[in-house]
Amino acid sequence: MSRYGQVENENNAQFDRLSSTLAQFRAVNQDIHNIARESTLIDSLSEQMSSLYDGIRNSSQGLTRSMQSGHGVCGGMLA
């Protein structure tokens, strides 16, 4: 094999290694993107659950006050 052929083979091998390394970086980048997206989803769900909890707590407190005042759930309209 000529020197040119040998250099070409070495270059091809280096390009293959570079291609493999680039594929690994792309996979890591995709993993990071997926984790970030999941984290955003988890944050959004957490905020929604907090809002739901606050709504339930406020409703419960209002019901408790209503029951303690003697008006009941129907606002004192019981016969």
Side-chain angles (χ1 to χ4, degrees):
M1 176 181 293
S2 69
R3 175 73 182 138
Y4 172 78
Q6 185 179 6
V7 169
E8 186 175 357
N9 287 340
E10 289 172 4
N11 284 343
N12 287 340
Q14 287 178 346
F15 278 126
D16 288 343
R17 284 192 298 275
L18 180 60
S19 176
S20 176
T21 301
L22 183 58
Q24 290 174 342
F25 280 128
R26 285 182 177 155
V28 168
N29 186 44
Q30 185 63 44
D31 289 344
I32 291 170
H33 174 74
N34 291 342
I35 290 169
R37 187 176 59 223
E38 290 171 2
S39 178
T40 300
L41 176 62
I42 290 170
D43 290 345
S44 176
L45 289 173
S46 178
E47 289 173 10
Q48 291 175 13
M49 291 300 292
S50 291
S51 178
L52 178 62
Y53 172 77
D54 290 342
I56 291 170
R57 185 185 64 215
N58 291 339
S59 294
S60 174
Q61 289 171 347
L63 178 60
T64 299
R65 284 191 301 273
S66 179
M67 297 298 283
Q68 288 174 344
S69 70
H71 293 116
V73 177
C74 296
M77 298 181 70
L78 297 176

